[in-house]
Amino acid sequence: MIAHRISRLGASLLLLLINVFCFASPVIAAEEEQDQLKLASESAILMDARTGIVLVQKNAEKQQFPASITKIVTGIVAIENESVLSNVVTVSKEARREDGTRIYLAEGEQVTLDKLLFGMLMNSGNDAATAIAEYIDGSKAKFAERMNAFVKEKAGAEHTNFVNPSGLPDKAQVTTALDMARISRYAMQNETFRKIVATKKMPWVGQEWTSSLINHNQLLKDYDGATGIKNGYTEASGFTLVGSAKRGDMELIGVLLKSPSKSAVYSDMRNLLDFGFEHFELKQLLSANQAYPFESAEPAEFITREPIWTVVPKGETPSVSVNVQGEVIVQSSMGLVTAGIMEPVKPELPVVALSAPAAEPEQVPEMSSAASVQLEKQEPSGSTNLTIFLTWLGLIVYLAILAYIRFNRKKRERSRGL
């Protein structure tokens, strides 16, 4: 048992070394494949909605002005903050006189919060955004503080700052494509939010304006499987767009910032989403209540409570291993990706099965000798340990060479702007 645990510790150290030497990253589109995209937008990202794995990126951590995609944050903050969306909001003078796109709210008009959310997310009403912010926190400035805390705590956004709820120009209001993808992924897990951003048309009867709200997101009109989310534009930001689409079990989220034209931003988004659906597929690695070690007489050490998924290039079978912290490590041509974390087994917790992880349901993935350590079923001998040590040493030298080659490739990639 001691030798088994030493072997497992060695396996984890090897995975760490592979991760360091290979500069492993969840950004996996091959260099030559990304070149096919030729995106006009200055910043771009494509993320799998279920796993959060980044498939394509271009200047994804460069700060840009968000424009009206800011309203994604205003919307999800309001939905999660207010349990009763039928509550009535009284429109202030400031909201009535807000600049930019409006749904023509009247001062003193009383509108339900859910109606304001539709007006803001579908028709991009800046007056609706201000009315929502004032209802929740009394002022736009206070609500912006809530927005900033929310995106950091809930979505892990580290390079985003909001000073208003609508996206009106302000040099201090900035975000990144990566942050907006994380925020949008979080928001799309809320069914109320999903319903609003997927609504194409709805009647509007207001005190000063009677019409139909038409969702400004053109993807909903003509992109197969489109599920949302929000577009934006100011002179300073250029055209911005967060788009999402689902085909089969896989949903993708794309973010484009600072695009030169409306036609360019939608063309980029269609190409980005097409690229994702064409080149990648979602795979279930582990089912709920699956235990580790896989297919072993050893006592179970970790167990899954929810299914664990990953995304890989189409046609690939990833290698899967579990380190001493219970992290599920996936190796493919993408590099190394942490797909999830298994819970330590407690005596009172039931263990359903001891079985190998499946690349697809009912299938067992192949374990690559270069990327995943073979799970030992017997106590290793001294000669076996020496062989393992020499094998690791050889792998480290080999991977260092690969790392040098990959580093040079990344330098060339950055010089081309991708």
Side-chain angles (χ1 to χ4, degrees):
M1 177 64 73
I2 294 174
H4 169 72
R5 291 188 177 277
I6 292 173
S7 179
R8 290 223 30 239
L9 178 59
S12 297
L13 290 172
L14 177 59
L15 286 169
L16 178 61
L17 287 169
I18 293 172
N19 194 23
V20 171
F21 282 113
C22 286
F23 301 96
S25 168
V27 181
I28 60 173
E31 181 178 320
E32 60 272 17
E33 292 174 341
Q34 287 200 48
D35 286 344
Q36 299 172 11
L37 289 170
K38 300 186 184 303
L39 301 174
S41 303
E42 190 169 299
S43 294
I45 199 165
L46 182 66
M47 176 181 286
D48 172 63
R50 185 189 293 265
T51 65
I53 293 175
V54 176
L55 307 179
V56 178
Q57 70 169 354
K58 173 186 177 184
N59 298 324
E61 296 187 69
K62 181 177 181 179
Q63 285 187 323
Q64 308 275 18
F65 300 127
S68 281
I69 61 174
T70 297
K71 296 182 176 82
I72 294 170
V73 181
T74 302
I76 189 60
V77 169
I79 291 168
E80 292 202 355
N81 185 76
E82 294 295 318
S83 58
V84 183
L85 297 182
S86 60
N87 284 347
V88 174
V89 177
T90 301
V91 178
S92 71
K93 181 178 181 180
E94 182 174 0
R96 163 65 180 83
R97 296 184 175 183
E98 194 61 89
D99 292 333
T101 307
R102 299 171 50 223
I103 53 171
Y104 303 103
L105 297 171
E107 182 180 350
E109 182 175 358
Q110 294 191 316
V111 189
T112 59
L113 180 58
D114 59 349
K115 189 175 178 180
L116 289 174
L117 287 166
F118 277 96
M120 178 184 69
L121 289 168
M122 288 179 63
N123 208 71
S124 208
N126 293 339
D127 48 356
T130 296
I132 290 169
E134 291 177 337
Y135 169 76
I136 293 175
D137 280 315
S139 71
K140 292 186 290 185
K142 284 290 185 183
F143 186 76
E145 293 177 7
R146 183 188 295 271
M147 293 169 72
N148 290 326
F150 183 95
V151 298
K152 185 174 183 178
E153 295 168 8
K154 299 285 189 177
E158 296 291 341
H159 304 289
T160 293
N161 184 67
F162 298 110
V163 296
N164 67 63
S166 61
L168 284 169
D170 191 298
K171 63 181 180 180
Q173 183 130 327
V174 293
T175 191
T176 68
L178 176 59
D179 279 357
M180 283 308 305
R182 288 171 172 168
I183 292 165
S184 300
R185 178 183 177 232
Y186 178 87
M188 289 294 279
Q189 295 173 34
N190 184 288
E191 289 302 318
T192 299
F193 182 91
R194 287 184 69 93
K195 175 184 175 182
I196 295 173
V197 297
T199 302
K200 298 178 183 180
K201 183 178 180 179
M202 68 172 285
W204 180 272
V205 179
Q207 186 173 315
E208 293 186 351
W209 188 51
T210 298
S211 183
S212 292
L213 299 181
I214 306 296
N215 199 314
H216 289 186
N217 178 8
Q218 292 187 357
L219 291 176
L220 296 174
K221 298 178 182 178
D222 57 18
Y223 190 80
D224 181 28
T227 54
I229 302 180
K230 186 77 184 74
N231 64 308
Y233 171 78
T234 67
E235 186 176 350
S237 71
F239 289 84
T240 64
L241 178 62
V242 179
S244 63
K246 187 174 183 180
R247 295 181 185 173
D249 291 330
M250 187 165 71
E251 184 171 34
L252 300 178
I253 295 172
V255 180
L256 298 169
L257 302 176
K258 203 167 186 182
S259 189
S261 68
K262 183 177 180 178
S263 62
V265 79
Y266 280 101
S267 176
D268 278 358
M269 185 60 73
R270 293 184 183 95
N271 290 337
L272 195 61
L273 293 170
D274 284 346
F275 182 88
F277 288 121
E278 180 181 351
H279 288 86
F280 303 99
E281 61 184 330
L282 188 69
K283 285 184 178 287
Q284 182 175 328
L285 300 172
L286 301 171
S287 59
N289 298 323
Q290 196 164 346
Y292 176 82
F294 308 123
E295 296 182 341
S296 172
E298 297 288 344
E301 298 179 37
F302 298 103
I303 189 169
T304 59
R305 289 305 173 195
E306 299 291 338
I308 293 180
W309 299 76
T310 194
V311 174
V312 295
K314 282 190 175 179
E316 283 197 21
T317 300
S319 299
V320 183
S321 60
V322 180
N323 66 18
V324 292
Q325 289 79 37
E327 295 175 328
V328 179
I329 309 297
V330 181
Q331 171 72 30
S332 70
S333 61
M334 298 158 54
L336 284 181
V337 176
T338 301
I341 300 177
M342 303 179 76
E343 295 181 9
V345 170
K346 298 178 182 178
E348 66 273 16
L349 293 178
V351 176
V352 171
L354 294 173
S355 59
E360 295 177 334
E362 308 300 330
Q363 295 181 2
V364 179
E366 299 174 2
M367 300 295 284
S368 169
S369 60
S372 180
V373 177
Q374 192 75 17
L375 302 176
E376 297 291 339
K377 295 185 179 181
Q378 298 179 346
E379 296 291 330
S381 64
S383 61
T384 301
N385 284 332
L386 178 60
T387 301
I388 292 172
F389 172 77
L390 292 175
T391 300
W392 290 352
L393 185 60
L395 279 172
I396 291 169
V397 173
Y398 173 70
L399 292 172
I401 296 171
L402 288 181
Y404 177 77
I405 295 171
R406 187 166 179 175
F407 176 76
N408 284 335
R409 285 183 179 176
K410 285 182 175 289
K411 285 179 66 177
R412 293 197 301 272
E413 179 181 349
R414 287 194 293 269
S415 70
R416 291 199 302 270
L418 277 172

